[in-house]
Amino acid sequence: MRISWFFGFGWISVLTVVACGMGINFLSGPLGYALYAPFLLAALYMSARFRLYSTQPWRRAHSRAMLAFAELADAEYDAARRERREFDVAVPCAGLATRLFGQDGDGISGLLRDENRKKYYRELAREFPRVFLEGVAEERRQAVLDGIERDIEASRLGPDILIAKAIELKHSRREAAVYLRALMLGKVR
């Protein structure tokens, strides 16, 4: 079971903290003291990641969906290699739509079409301009909005559109806009 989608950090961090904690407890001398550094670093990392996952609801939805998408993309990559054809991102995206929204997600799968995806993103940007203009000086706001339009026009199909819609349905449309802003700023991992 992966805990990273729920807490924001993985098993390696947990094992590091536990191993170092046991070493600090059972070892004496310089080795015991040396284990304080990795213990504190791992604990600080875990705290920061958990805080991000707790305060930004889109992170959990993104993490969970990307784990499913990775599995689907891997299967499509293997199939494309066997059949000696190009990888088609629409195949794992369609599979992700089914996983996220079930068989009844026909309206959702329409977002996979280029014009619908771009329309959805434009609507988010126009409906929540404050999300995208947060921390931007007044004189740069129009340039930022124009840049958002160019980025949306240049965007390509990927799992992000399905994740944004899942975030909208689970949390709110505003949270989907926050997710889109994080995508555009490169803060989504």
Side-chain angles (χ1 to χ4, degrees):
M1 178 184 163
R2 296 183 183 196
I3 64 169
S4 61
W5 67 265
F6 190 74
F7 292 112
F9 52 83
W11 285 108
I12 293 175
S13 303
V14 173
L15 293 176
T16 301
V17 166
V18 170
C20 290
M22 290 175 61
I24 291 168
N25 195 28
F26 293 119
L27 298 175
S28 59
L31 187 56
Y33 291 118
L35 291 175
Y36 274 104
F39 176 83
L40 292 174
L41 288 174
L44 182 64
Y45 170 78
M46 290 168 62
S47 298
R49 294 291 297 182
F50 183 71
R51 183 175 181 275
L52 281 174
Y53 269 61
S54 299
T55 59
Q56 297 175 329
W58 63 262
R59 286 192 182 270
R60 284 190 186 172
H62 172 79
S63 181
R64 185 179 293 169
M66 287 306 290
L67 288 172
F69 182 77
E71 193 178 297
L72 294 164
D74 190 40
E76 167 58 14
Y77 176 78
D78 290 341
R81 195 174 59 196
R82 273 193 315 274
E83 298 166 11
R84 298 183 192 274
R85 62 176 171 81
E86 290 290 317
F87 175 84
D88 184 7
V89 72
V91 173
C93 284
L96 182 62
T98 302
R99 282 199 188 178
L100 290 176
F101 308 107
Q103 296 295 337
D104 299 329
D106 293 333
I108 303 294
S109 62
L111 289 174
L112 297 178
R113 290 197 309 271
D114 199 45
E115 64 276 356
N116 292 347
R117 184 185 76 255
K118 290 176 182 179
K119 179 183 174 204
Y120 177 77
Y121 281 154
R122 280 189 195 99
E123 288 171 357
L124 284 179
R126 289 179 184 142
E127 192 174 337
F128 301 99
R130 287 187 176 174
V131 167
F132 296 92
L133 297 175
E134 184 178 309
V136 175
E138 187 68 40
E139 62 273 2
R140 292 207 55 242
R141 290 186 176 200
Q142 189 57 47
V144 169
L145 292 174
D146 293 342
I148 290 169
E149 277 293 321
R150 283 191 305 275
D151 287 351
I152 290 171
E153 192 55 42
S155 70
R156 295 181 179 259
L157 178 62
D160 50 277
I161 185 66
L162 298 168
I163 297 169
K165 189 64 176 179
I167 291 168
E168 175 186 341
L169 294 174
K170 183 170 181 162
H171 299 288
S172 70
R173 194 159 166 83
R174 184 184 185 289
E175 192 63 28
V178 170
Y179 174 69
L180 177 58
R181 178 179 185 259
L183 274 172
M184 290 181 163
L185 293 176
K187 294 183 177 182
V188 175
R189 295 192 281 143

